[in-house]
Amino acid sequence: MAVRTITFEDVSYDTPSRKLFKNLKGYRLRIGNGKYIVAFKERISTEANRHIVNELEEEIEEEQLADFYKHSLQIKPTEEVKKHQGEESLQEMVRIKNSRVVMDFYQEEKHIEMVLDNVIFTGRKGEFKIRELECENKSALLEDFNRFV
């Protein structure tokens, strides 16, 4: 098991009517460790209090940020969000600062990541802090992952 701590900031976007959120989808820019990562997330089910989420992530270069902010970047997460936002524009909804302790578990070809997030959400209504435990299947079969969690 390998343990590491990372710190980053996420900026989440949605339509003024919160169309993405209401449909269990998310679109964000993650900034941290000199990287910029755009992600589109979509919850596909909830089983026994576990959320099953499809996630499209793509790292972009600093030079591409201007196109990201104009919503003209042509990458998979951006193209996917366009399918779901309709005619509404996107706007910044919340900023999320996270200090994350990451534990990586490896067994042969299997990789499962467990994280403890210390999160501060900042939005229109102020600030909210939480701690959250998350487990992510990086390469294991679903059956192996289910046995782990």
Side-chain angles (χ1 to χ4, degrees):
M1 174 179 72
V3 178
R4 55 194 158 80
T5 301
I6 57 175
T7 302
F8 54 86
E9 181 175 36
D10 287 345
V11 182
S12 290
Y13 295 85
D14 204 340
T15 64
S17 69
R18 299 182 56 121
K19 189 173 188 175
L20 298 176
F21 178 79
K22 289 176 184 174
N23 289 291
L24 305 177
K25 297 170 186 9
Y27 182 61
R28 64 131 165 94
L29 173 65
R30 174 166 290 165
I31 303 164
N33 300 323
K35 294 182 179 182
Y36 304 91
I37 301 171
V38 179
F40 175 80
K41 297 181 177 191
E42 181 173 25
R43 187 181 316 162
I44 55 173
S45 70
T46 300
E47 301 169 4
N49 283 338
R50 293 185 305 191
H51 301 301
I52 311 299
V53 178
N54 277 340
E55 187 171 329
L56 292 172
E57 279 192 341
E58 196 160 328
E59 187 173 341
I60 63 172
E61 301 297 323
E62 187 172 6
E63 300 79 41
Q64 294 174 287
L65 285 173
D67 288 333
F68 172 82
Y69 292 123
K70 291 187 285 186
H71 307 294
S72 61
L73 197 58
Q74 294 183 348
I75 59 174
K76 287 180 183 178
T78 302
E79 295 303 315
E80 194 62 30
V81 79
K82 287 177 184 177
K83 294 177 189 176
H84 299 281
Q85 78 185 73
E87 296 298 315
E88 291 187 75
S89 62
L90 292 173
Q91 63 185 33
E92 182 179 317
M93 297 302 274
V94 68
R95 288 189 171 260
I96 304 160
K97 292 183 180 178
N98 193 348
S99 177
R100 171 177 277 183
V101 178
V102 181
M103 295 158 278
D104 292 297
F105 297 89
Y106 297 95
Q107 183 181 31
E108 298 166 5
E109 301 296 317
K110 302 168 192 155
H111 176 196
I112 294 174
E113 179 183 83
M114 184 178 289
V115 300
L116 176 60
D117 288 332
N118 294 293
V119 185
I120 302 171
F121 296 90
T122 306
R124 297 175 308 199
K125 296 181 180 179
E127 198 172 273
F128 179 73
K129 297 178 183 181
I130 66 165
R131 296 184 83 190
E132 177 181 58
L133 183 63
E134 182 179 302
C135 202
E136 189 169 328
N137 183 359
K138 294 295 194 178
S139 63
L141 296 173
L142 187 56
E143 301 83 43
D144 295 329
F145 181 74
N146 287 337
R147 275 195 300 274
F148 178 81
V149 295

